[in-house]
Amino acid sequence: MTDATAAAPAHELTQVNLARLKFPLDSPELKDFVDALDPVNADAEAADGYVWRLQSEEGNATDVPVFGDDWLIVNLTVWRDQDALTAYMYRGRHREMLARRRDWFERVQEAMTALWWVQAGHRPTVAEAEARLLHLRAHGPTPYAFTLRTSFPARGAEPVAFEVPGNLGCSL
């Protein structure tokens, strides 16, 4: 084992967050949000600890289907660890966008953000993200799916069997 291999992390942190749009993406009400996507994504890619983000051919993920709901958009990223993720989230343009989220997105009752650990190099799918969110909604924070407020170390990140209740959709 080389020193470089020994230093490589075994796990990376995945985050998913969904947002329910108040208006169509091409509406004047969402112009500021849409115009900020490329610069905010570039900031993420340049951030210390950034690993990967889901994107379509458009360069973002606003056209990637999630939960079969055309009004939901998904942000799915992988980071070195929680410190790297939060350092990015709460500064610069991303922080400015967070401050305006109620202008663009509906307030929903269910959990719309989940974190979980993946093996280093794994790139999660939207289906994985949906399953983690459903698990979080059904069971609260666990090592399988957790939140920034209640997080878990990378150990214990294996899937657990559960039955999903039928009322865990994305209602307002």
Side-chain angles (χ1 to χ4, degrees):
M1 183 183 281
T2 66
D3 289 338
T5 304
H11 293 89
E12 296 166 331
L13 184 69
T14 299
Q15 78 77 34
V16 62
N17 70 79
L18 305 183
R20 179 177 293 285
L21 298 169
K22 284 185 172 182
F23 311 97
L25 277 170
D26 60 357
S27 69
E29 293 88 352
L30 287 181
K31 183 179 181 347
D32 289 348
F33 170 74
V34 171
D35 288 350
L37 283 173
D38 288 343
V40 167
N41 286 333
D43 290 349
E45 291 173 354
D48 181 47
Y50 166 86
V51 176
W52 173 87
R53 70 181 172 90
L54 175 70
Q55 55 185 308
S56 69
E57 291 179 11
E58 300 300 316
N60 60 59
T62 58
D63 60 346
V64 175
V66 60
F67 283 122
D69 186 332
D70 292 339
W71 288 93
L72 288 177
I73 58 173
V74 61
N75 178 350
L76 181 60
T77 58
V78 178
W79 295 83
R80 179 186 59 231
D81 54 32
Q82 189 168 328
D83 290 341
L85 172 62
T86 56
Y88 164 73
M89 285 176 56
Y90 298 117
R91 69 168 202 254
R93 280 185 276 239
H94 190 270
R95 181 180 178 164
E96 293 168 15
M97 289 188 71
L98 279 176
R100 293 199 54 203
R101 67 187 179 275
R102 298 291 173 237
D103 295 344
W104 304 316
F105 309 121
E106 298 287 351
R107 188 179 283 256
V108 296
Q109 298 172 0
E110 299 83 17
M112 298 290 269
T113 301
L115 305 173
W116 69 97
W117 294 100
V118 295
Q119 293 292 320
H122 175 71
R123 299 301 169 247
T125 64
V126 171
E128 287 175 68
E130 291 171 337
R132 301 290 177 142
L133 274 166
L134 291 174
H135 185 329
L136 180 63
R137 291 173 184 176
H139 301 284
T142 67
Y144 184 72
F146 51 92
T147 65
L148 285 171
R149 285 190 184 140
T150 306
S151 61
F152 293 85
R155 71 185 189 304
E158 301 308 314
V160 294
F162 68 95
E163 199 168 306
V164 178
N167 62 347
L168 293 177
C170 296
S171 60
L172 297 175

